[in-house]
Amino acid sequence: MKILIVDDERDVEDLFRQKLRKEIRSGTLELEFAFSAKEALEILASENPPKVVYVFSDINMPGMSGLEMLDIIKEKFPKIQVSMISAYGDEANYKKAMESGAKEFYTKPVNFENLKKEIAEITQSNL
């Protein structure tokens, strides 16, 4: 299963590769990274249909926000599951994300045990 992590902080890549290394090594998970919403949308549009089945995105990024990107993904790629993350667990972002079709809403720091459960559920539903 291929997932796309979207965050403007580049050190997130090392963190996710470390926390999900067992799944990556076993071949059950392939990670791709985008460092802006625009880059993420370009990655998704580069394959038809996209191989990515799950997007995990920060909300607060320069340029296009994760919430704006979520709306575009849900319109153009409705089968792709999207979860949002924010350093701020504020109610307005949570409400907007869920109304726009987000699967989950996480606050930083990421609870990787919960994320792994969610990835496992998505993997099962895509078999």
Side-chain angles (χ1 to χ4, degrees):
M1 183 172 97
K2 188 173 188 177
I3 66 173
L4 176 61
I5 313 295
V6 187
D7 198 313
D8 60 309
E9 295 177 31
R10 292 191 176 262
D11 59 341
V12 164
E13 182 172 355
D14 292 336
L15 176 67
F16 275 80
R17 288 196 185 283
Q18 177 193 11
K19 294 290 189 180
L20 299 171
R21 70 180 173 272
K22 206 183 320 173
E23 292 80 359
I24 295 167
R25 258 196 232 125
S26 71
T28 57
L29 201 56
E30 182 184 344
L31 300 184
E32 186 153 354
F33 292 86
F35 300 102
S36 71
K38 182 178 180 290
E39 183 183 356
L41 293 171
E42 288 168 359
I43 289 168
L44 294 175
S46 71
E47 299 174 314
N48 190 12
K51 290 189 177 103
V52 170
V53 296
Y54 180 59
V55 174
F56 189 79
S57 178
D58 192 13
I59 288 177
N60 299 306
M61 296 182 287
M64 184 188 305
S65 76
L67 291 172
E68 292 170 302
M69 181 190 70
L70 171 62
D71 287 336
I72 294 168
I73 290 174
K74 285 298 172 187
E75 180 186 320
K76 290 186 174 181
F77 312 102
K79 291 185 175 169
I80 295 177
Q81 299 281 336
V82 183
S83 289
M84 306 305 297
I85 183 165
S86 177
Y88 319 100
D90 67 276
E91 192 64 31
N93 276 339
Y94 172 82
K95 191 174 180 199
K96 171 76 172 97
M98 300 317 274
E99 286 172 355
S100 294
K103 182 169 182 0
E104 279 299 331
F105 185 92
Y106 290 83
T107 54
K108 291 181 180 178
V110 178
N111 180 328
F112 278 92
E113 290 310 308
N114 286 350
L115 180 59
K116 286 178 184 183
K117 286 178 192 163
E118 185 172 332
I119 290 169
E121 289 171 16
I122 293 168
T123 302
Q124 288 303 312
S125 69
N126 280 304
L127 291 179

